[in-house]
Amino acid sequence: MTRLMKSVFLIVMLALAPVTAGAVQPDEILDDPVLEERARDLSKGLRCLVCRNENIDDSNAELARDLRLLVRERLVAGDTDDEVIEFVTDRYGEYVLLNPRTGGSNWVLWGAGPVMLILALLIGFTYLRRRSQATEDALSDDERSKLDEILNR
């Protein structure tokens, strides 16, 4: 039984290996392992503009390849990680970031959800309060006494 389980495990791992390999081509990999590691870390935070919610390391799109090469070119040129990210966002916009920044005009986007939730709760509370008052005020004295009589039985 143990040997069978090992064989199944090996088959599953071999089947999943291409999934985890990523899309980085061998000709893109830098000779310096430190720079390559920095490039991989930066690429994990950059969105493929073709595939949408996939980072450029996992995407096979041509634009993702161009972005990977651009990141590596900037690192080889001596840019810091922040300078590389700034260069890419200046060129492609903040949409290229998988984790958007929380400054500037993005505060509107970050704050819109909580503000809308609070506004919806206030509107709902006001509606329910007015509705309950309207049903109480809609009864005449005679109707109210009959209702009290029915409820007290």
Side-chain angles (χ1 to χ4, degrees), residues 36-86:
E36 180 62 27
E37 184 64 32
R38 283 178 56 201
R40 295 285 177 118
D41 288 342
L42 290 173
S43 296
K44 289 177 184 170
L46 296 175
R47 178 190 323 266
C48 173
L49 299 172
V50 177
C51 307
R52 304 295 171 145
N53 288 329
E54 193 173 24
N55 67 41
I56 61 174
D57 260 1
D58 295 335
S59 175
N60 288 318
E62 280 297 315
L63 184 56
R65 176 181 164 79
D66 293 344
L67 282 170
R68 287 192 302 265
L69 291 173
L70 178 67
V71 166
R72 284 165 173 76
E73 284 175 15
R74 301 306 307 171
L75 289 174
V76 169
D79 287 358
T80 65
D81 293 355
D82 291 335
E83 289 173 336
V84 172
I85 295 297
E86 195 64 36

Side-chain angles (χ1 to χ4, degrees), residues 69-109:
L69 291 173
L70 178 67
V71 166
R72 284 165 173 76
E73 284 175 15
R74 301 306 307 171
L75 289 174
V76 169
D79 287 358
T80 65
D81 293 355
D82 291 335
E83 289 173 336
V84 172
I85 295 297
E86 195 64 36
F87 182 83
V88 172
T89 54
D90 286 346
R91 198 169 203 188
Y92 294 98
E94 282 194 34
Y95 182 73
V96 78
L97 300 175
L98 278 172
N99 295 320
R101 297 176 181 154
T102 56
S105 62
N106 284 345
W107 278 112
V108 174
L109 297 174

Side-chain angles (χ1 to χ4, degrees), residues 104-137:
S105 62
N106 284 345
W107 278 112
V108 174
L109 297 174
W110 284 101
V115 168
M116 290 166 121
L117 176 65
I118 291 169
L119 186 63
L121 290 173
L122 286 173
I123 290 171
F125 177 74
T126 305
Y127 170 76
L128 291 175
R129 189 168 178 198
R130 285 185 181 173
R131 191 177 90 180
S132 68
Q133 288 175 352
T135 56
E136 290 175 9
D137 296 341

